[in-house]
Amino acid sequence: MGSEQFSSLRLRRIATKLEGAVSSTNFTRQAEPDEPVTPCGRLFCQPNMNCYIMCTLGFKNPINLPDFKRALQETLVKHKRFHSVMKKNMNGTDVWVPIEVDIHAHVFEPSGFSEEDVAAPHFVEKYVADLASAPSISFSRPLWECHVLNGTSGDAAAHMIVRVHHSLGDGISLMSLLLACTRRVNHPHMLPSVPSKRKKPKVEPYFVPLNSLWTMLILLWNTILGLAYYFATILWMKDSDTKIKGHYGVDKAPKSLMYTVIDIDDMRVVKDAVNGTINDVLMGIIGAGLHRYLEGRYKVMQDVQNRDVDHRKDKSIVDHLRIRATALMNTRPTPGLQELATMMEGGSQTQWGNRLGYLIFPIPVKHFSDPLDHVRAAKKIGNRKKASLEGAFTYWSGALLMAITGPVLPALLTEHTTLQTTLAVSNVPGPMEPVMFNGNPIVHIYPAAAGQPSSLSIFFQSYDQKACLVAMTARDLIPDPGALCEYMADALQEMKRAVASRRQDAN
């Protein structure tokens, strides 16, 4: 099969609107300057923050490995990060240096598994969880690899797990590259569409000065509160010592992983009912799911100690717990997926890489008689966080500290701050319609990350009006992530029923 058959797969510019012409972009390796590694990229290379992103793609049909290798050579490998290694230049700066890539060393089918093993239920999830504890990729070659699994059970006949070192880019950057490598199933020559930016309400001209002043005051106040909260977390404020909270060394602990699929339309019903966002609903169902999960864990513990324990006491224990998340956020001025055209134009890719800040987000784990109150509580917190510069501060202050002291101290502070909280949360939007790679339709996408000092990480990945809600856990602390996923999915259904009940009462 000649290379001309893969010409339609070459990386191209992404249209930032749902429809529009797509101009061609050709990545070449001629006269490529050595580009510096981003501050976050250097941080992720530290031993205590050695993080990997693992993106699992489920394919409708079996994967033809030779064809996929050729397709990846014409797409993924064309991006500079995927054919470069990290080295120091004469000034001692970490830079990306292009090299030749041996595709066979990066794309392979793992050996040692029988067909029955691969076809077993949840084999892929267990494989990804074990991959989280696998040895690091050698820095002598590009920091990525693809594991191909044919003959898997479920709705996908095959899976490809793309394992990428976090220094290459954040979730937004890597999702942009995935979008640039795929095409729509119904329109094979068109790139996928991406979620558009939410339109802001119009303000009358004579209200603009007053509105701007009020917005600035709110931004200033919320930023002061957010930074005070952030520094308090660094210095002394930590989450309750629950059965699920991590500890130093948890990043090296064996992992478990499970996911559940939820309907985006269900989330829209809930968000419209509270005039919120998908993120508000996500944090709300996380809070509701964690409340039920912790309630069960503490009830089991107390039942062993006292068979006559009053169940009302269990609720009071969970209600008084401090549970917070380290919520990753994109620090680009506009949503990252809207800047795909800039990222994928070729040449200097200054917008590519890690542009992550993080927020300390209290999770509403209290018991609410109205299920929607979980989302309302999350919305109240989220509105304050969005109207502040807390996330941008964590990124730029980290970059400044790294420029002054090097990556060791920022890595220690990031590790310490993360361990002061209970979980990490990440939300990356994906394609809005079915897509395919190399002519093979993708049926689901779910991400995970390894190496972060957190006992519980929750990932939300939307794709084709569905979303995968993924829980990766430290096995010794949370051995049953599937139960947590079920609780979160059940919480969403309870919220949807509450909305339907209110509408019925209103009529």
Side-chain angles (χ1 to χ4, degrees):
M1 188 176 293
S3 61
E4 65 274 4
Q5 298 187 29
F6 298 99
S7 59
S8 64
L9 289 171
R10 297 179 187 276
L11 295 177
R12 298 179 180 179
R13 181 178 179 181
I14 301 290
T16 58
K17 297 182 179 179
L18 298 185
E19 303 289 344
V22 178
S23 62
S24 176
T25 298
N26 294 320
F27 283 82
T28 64
R29 305 189 193 181
Q30 300 174 355
E32 288 181 295
D34 294 342
E35 294 182 4
V37 179
T38 62
C40 282
R42 294 172 62 200
L43 181 142
F44 287 128
C45 293
Q46 296 304 300
N48 57 335
M49 289 295 296
N50 187 30
C51 297
Y52 284 84
I53 297 174
M54 295 168 292
C55 183
T56 303
L57 307 174
F59 287 90
K60 181 179 180 181
N61 304 313
I63 294 174
N64 184 307
L65 192 58
D67 283 351
F68 259 57
K69 286 181 179 179
R70 284 192 288 267
L72 289 167
Q73 192 83 50
E74 293 295 331
T75 54
L76 194 71
V77 179
K78 293 291 185 180
H79 192 280
K80 182 169 183 177
R81 294 292 186 274
F82 288 79
H83 65 257
S84 298
V85 295
M86 192 183 302
K87 293 185 178 181
K88 291 188 179 295
N89 61 14
M90 291 186 298
N91 298 324
T93 302
D94 291 317
V95 295
W96 294 107
V97 179
I99 65 169
E100 291 298 321
V101 174
D102 177 10
I103 193 67
H104 305 293
H106 291 268
V107 185
F108 51 84
E109 288 187 88
S111 59
F113 301 104
S114 66
E115 292 182 0
E116 292 76 16
D117 292 334
V118 177
H122 306 303
F123 173 82
V124 177
E125 294 95 309
K126 293 175 182 176
Y127 185 89
V128 175
D130 291 340
L131 193 60
S133 303
S136 299
I137 301 174
S138 172
F139 277 75
S140 63
R141 63 189 182 95
L143 299 173
W144 66 274
E145 57 190 20
C146 295
H147 299 239
V148 175
L149 300 171
N150 275 310
T152 54
S153 62
D155 58 347
H159 285 79
M160 181 168 68
I161 299 100
V162 185
R163 186 189 185 208
V164 180
H165 195 274
H166 215 317
S167 61
L168 271 67
D170 55 31
I172 293 292
S173 295
L174 295 173
M175 182 54 64
S176 72
L177 184 57
L178 170 64
L179 291 176
C181 295
T182 61
R183 296 296 180 267
R184 301 187 192 185
V185 171
N186 297 330
H187 302 280
H189 300 291
M190 295 181 65
L191 288 161
S193 57
V194 296
S196 58
K197 186 178 179 181
R198 193 177 185 180
K199 293 183 179 180
K200 296 182 179 180
K202 293 184 178 180
V203 180
E204 295 296 333
Y206 42 86
F207 284 134
V208 169
L210 183 60
N211 182 71
S212 299
L213 178 60
W214 180 244
T215 300
M216 289 179 61
L217 290 175
I218 292 176
L219 180 68
L220 178 61
W221 177 246
N222 287 334
T223 300
I224 292 173
L225 291 180
L227 295 185
Y229 196 60
Y230 170 70
F231 284 115
T233 300
I234 292 177
L235 295 175
W236 75 83
M237 184 185 293
K238 70 174 184 176
D239 283 7
S240 304
D241 288 323
T242 63
K243 293 294 182 181
I244 67 172
K245 189 178 182 303
H247 48 75
Y248 280 98
V250 72
D251 53 310
K252 305 295 192 301
K255 300 295 190 293
S256 293
L257 180 142
M258 289 296 291
Y259 76 95
T260 188
V261 180
I262 58 179
D263 199 319
I264 294 292
D265 285 337
D266 291 346
M267 300 186 77
R268 291 194 181 104
V269 169
V270 176
K271 85 173 181 67
D272 291 342
V274 299
N275 193 27
T277 65
I278 292 293
N279 269 331
D280 297 333
V281 180
L282 173 62
M283 302 308 284
I285 64 175
I286 289 174
L290 278 173
H291 180 273
R292 185 173 300 179
Y293 181 82
L294 287 168
E295 189 178 77
R297 287 285 294 268
Y298 277 100
K299 185 176 189 303
V300 169
M301 180 185 70
Q302 291 187 354
D303 280 349
V304 172
Q305 298 173 352
N306 182 1
R307 297 292 180 182
D308 299 323
V309 66
D310 185 352
H311 186 61
R312 289 172 298 178
K313 185 179 179 182
D314 305 335
K315 293 183 179 179
S316 66
I317 292 176
V318 177
D319 285 354
H320 289 87
L321 295 176
R322 178 189 291 137
I323 305 289
R324 297 176 299 166
T326 303
L328 302 179
M329 64 163 290
N330 173 40
T331 62
R332 294 180 178 91
T334 57
L337 291 178
Q338 300 302 309
E339 294 189 323
L340 293 177
T342 303
M343 290 182 186
M344 307 307 290
E345 280 177 352
S348 178
Q349 297 163 16
T350 56
Q351 293 300 314
W352 179 275
N354 290 281
R355 296 288 298 273
L356 290 175
Y358 56 89
L359 306 171
I360 308 298
F361 197 103
I363 301 295
V365 294
K366 294 183 179 180
H367 173 73
F368 293 106
S369 57
D370 183 355
L372 294 177
D373 283 344
H374 282 283
V375 182
R376 294 188 183 99
K379 176 189 173 185
K380 184 177 180 180
I381 299 168
N383 286 344
R384 290 201 306 266
K385 297 294 182 179
K386 284 182 286 188
S388 78
L389 299 176
E390 179 184 347
F393 176 84
T394 58
Y395 174 76
W396 290 111
S397 63
L400 177 61
L401 184 61
M402 186 169 295
I404 297 172
T405 68
V408 175
L409 181 57
L412 289 173
L413 285 175
T414 302
E415 179 187 28
H416 174 72
T417 305
T418 305
L419 286 170
Q420 295 284 77
T421 63
T422 301
L423 67 151
V425 178
S426 176
N427 174 10
V428 177
M432 297 177 65
E433 64 281 299
V435 298
M436 59 184 178
F437 175 75
N438 193 36
N440 198 343
I442 297 174
V443 296
H444 60 243
I445 307 171
Y446 62 86
Q452 70 276 19
S454 180
S455 60
L456 171 60
S457 298
I458 295 177
F459 308 93
F460 181 84
Q461 176 67 63
S462 62
Y463 172 55
D464 186 25
Q465 305 307 314
K466 299 287 185 180
C468 282
L469 192 57
V470 186
M472 174 170 273
T473 65
R475 194 177 303 162
D476 59 334
L477 296 174
I478 309 175
D480 51 351
L484 179 57
C485 289
E486 289 180 10
Y487 288 148
M488 291 187 289
D490 290 345
L492 177 60
Q493 293 306 310
E494 289 180 4
M495 294 171 186
K496 184 182 175 184
R497 287 193 293 269
V499 174
S501 177
R502 289 194 170 195
R503 288 176 177 173
Q504 188 175 7
D505 293 341
N507 294 331

